Amino acid sequence: MTEKPYRASEDLENLLKDFYNLTGMKICIYDGDGKELCYYPERYSPFCKYLRSFPDAEEKCRRCDLNALAECKKTQSAYLYPCHAGLTECMAPVRLNDSIRGFIGIGQIREKSSRFPETDYGADRETAKKYWESLPEIPHDKILSAIHILEACTGYDQLKRFVREQNETLGSRLEAFIAEHIRGDLGVNRLCRKFLLSRRELYAFVRENYRCTPAEFVRLRRLRYAAELLKTTDLTVSEIAERCGIGDYNYFSKMFRRAYGMSARDFRK
């Protein structure tokens, strides 16, 4: 199961669940850059998940999302549109201080009048059709009613607070996450999953802002934490190495000396 990117408040999660229970439509919250923050009930329907397993379809889905975000920003209002695969979707802006700071959207909707699309992405037609037919049919007037509710949701205080918190800089969120999980797994794959970044995007961000690789960035934060513990506690060097997530004592000693020009024991003195 795909991990949800962020943990919304209980009230906000209940809002998403209530919306889905009333409408039967997937609902999702995005930050100002269009990255998914949370959703209900799942990220992709079986039909969308199947199509997105093909590179050409995945690219068309990505472009469709970007075009919808751009149109929503331009019009400053809800934007209803058919996606490239024949499903109906809608995006509405969330405003904070008269500027768009996020989006809330519904999607992957099979409108009652729609027809099964012609797929040319390498997908098996019969398999795709089976997934298509498993989607519930929703009449157009119900979709319009859902959009009216969606627009009302954009003024919800809990939603605005959530979007504001998630619009903190990536750097500050990265620093906070590493500090909170300093003893655990902070590998590239976990960071990419947590912040919804590709490996290329994560490497590019860290290189541009910190002039190092993600692994070097994490290692330096571990060693900085170790130096703080050496100054403020009576823990042994082995215990400190364990607490900062470097269980191999010899490797820790080597890295610490390289970073600070002396051994951990000399640093403490």
Side-chain angles (χ1 to χ4, degrees), residues 68-266:
L69 289 167
E71 186 66 22
C72 195
K73 288 178 181 178
K74 182 175 72 175
T75 62
Q76 303 278 301
S77 61
Y79 175 57
L80 177 68
Y81 63 98
C83 79
H84 73 96
L87 299 180
T88 298
E89 307 202 319
C90 180
M91 195 79 70
V94 178
R95 294 184 183 84
L96 290 170
N97 300 323
D98 296 324
S99 65
I100 295 177
R101 297 290 297 278
F103 303 89
I104 183 168
I106 55 176
Q108 303 174 31
I109 303 165
R110 179 189 173 194
E111 194 166 343
K112 199 165 186 178
S113 61
S114 61
R115 296 182 178 181
F116 175 67
E118 293 296 328
T119 57
D120 56 356
Y121 313 120
D124 177 72
R125 180 175 173 80
E126 290 306 312
T127 301
K129 189 172 183 179
K130 179 187 70 174
Y131 286 133
W132 166 270
E133 291 175 347
S134 71
L135 293 168
E137 288 186 321
I138 299 178
H140 187 70
D141 60 344
K142 187 173 181 179
I143 295 173
L144 294 180
S145 295
I147 292 172
H148 295 154
I149 298 173
L150 187 73
E151 291 182 303
C153 289
T154 62
Y156 184 49
D157 287 341
Q158 286 277 2
L159 172 60
K160 289 186 176 182
R161 185 180 305 118
F162 178 67
V163 170
R164 182 176 63 248
E165 290 171 354
Q166 303 309 330
N167 268 284
E168 294 176 0
T169 66
L170 176 58
S172 65
R173 288 191 283 122
L174 184 62
E175 293 269 12
F177 184 77
I178 290 173
E180 184 179 354
H181 300 86
I182 198 72
R183 298 181 70 164
D185 170 27
L186 290 170
V188 169
N189 289 339
R190 186 182 186 190
L191 295 178
C192 287
R193 289 196 303 271
K194 171 63 182 176
F195 296 104
L196 296 182
L197 299 171
S198 68
R199 292 177 68 91
R200 181 184 60 79
E201 289 171 333
L202 178 63
Y203 271 85
F205 175 81
V206 176
R207 177 70 68 184
E208 180 180 352
N209 290 275
Y210 302 100
R211 303 296 185 265
C212 63
T213 67
E216 290 168 339
F217 180 75
V218 169
R219 184 166 59 249
L220 289 172
R221 292 305 178 275
R222 293 190 196 276
L223 293 173
R224 179 188 296 174
Y225 180 57
E228 185 64 24
L229 292 177
L230 285 167
K231 291 188 292 184
T232 60
T233 74
D234 294 325
L235 294 170
T236 67
V237 175
S238 293
E239 288 172 330
I240 288 174
E242 185 71 30
R243 288 201 180 193
C244 70
I246 306 177
D248 186 325
Y249 175 80
N250 291 328
Y251 178 72
F252 170 80
S253 298
K254 180 180 178 181
M255 292 299 100
F256 193 92
R257 183 181 291 276
R258 180 179 296 176
Y260 290 94
M262 64 182 74
S263 69
R265 287 187 174 84
D266 287 341

Side-chain angles (χ1 to χ4, degrees), residues 43-90:
R43 191 176 189 187
Y44 301 129
S45 67
F47 174 72
C48 293
K49 187 174 183 180
Y50 178 67
L51 277 194
R52 282 177 175 267
S53 67
F54 299 92
D56 287 348
E58 169 68 22
E59 177 61 19
K60 285 198 173 185
C61 289
R62 189 184 69 83
R63 290 181 183 176
C64 196
D65 291 343
L66 291 175
N67 289 339
L69 289 167
E71 186 66 22
C72 195
K73 288 178 181 178
K74 182 175 72 175
T75 62
Q76 303 278 301
S77 61
Y79 175 57
L80 177 68
Y81 63 98
C83 79
H84 73 96
L87 299 180
T88 298
E89 307 202 319
C90 180

